[in-house]
Amino acid sequence: MQEFIVGKRADIPDGKAIAVEAGRRAIAVFRSGEAFFAVANACPHKGASLCEGEFLKDSKVVRCPWHHWNWSLDTGELDADPRQKLRRYEIAVDGDDVILRI
Ligand code: FES
């Protein structure tokens, strides 16, 4: 497992997302309060950048910017069909650092 420091907590405002590169992977990191979520930054449907979608932070759902499919950041599941999943990654906060583990 590799660790990447994606930034400081303050670099990711509450209710927002940032795009990061970790090795050759494009990852979207979302923040809801003190909770952080990391998922592949490519919608499984047609590849849209999910960090550019609408983030419904209270329900921890990202709505894809292209066709508006809703993905749960908690489970990775598509709301209309939970058999479809978004790739999720482990993320943690250590002090002020936000750390991605892949
Ligand atoms: S590309 Fe995301 S719903 Fe179509």
Side-chain angles (χ1 to χ4, degrees):
M1 181 174 288
Q2 284 185 287
E3 291 190 345
F4 296 84
I5 297 175
V6 300
K8 302 290 185 193
R9 291 169 55 238
D11 295 336
I12 310 169
D14 188 16
K16 301 291 185 191
I18 63 169
V20 300
E21 298 289 329
R24 287 181 294 197
R25 298 173 209 224
I27 295 175
V29 176
F30 294 82
R31 178 176 182 175
S32 174
E34 291 307 312
F36 292 83
F37 303 88
V39 298
N41 193 19
C43 179
H45 180 218
K46 297 284 184 183
S49 170
L50 288 174
C51 73
E52 295 174 16
E54 181 182 1
F55 181 33
L56 310 172
K57 79 173 198 120
D58 292 335
S59 53
K60 301 178 182 74
V61 164
V62 60
R63 180 169 292 150
C64 180
W66 286 1
H67 310 102
H68 307 149
W69 290 13
N70 292 325
W71 300 95
S72 166
L73 297 178
D74 272 331
T75 65
E77 294 175 348
L78 178 66
D79 68 344
D81 181 359
R83 293 171 300 174
Q84 295 196 53
K85 297 230 182 200
L86 187 60
R87 178 73 190 264
R88 298 166 63 234
Y89 297 94
E90 186 179 331
I91 194 158
V93 176
D94 183 7
D96 210 25
D97 293 332
V98 180
I99 299 169
L100 176 67
R101 297 187 180 112
I102 61 173

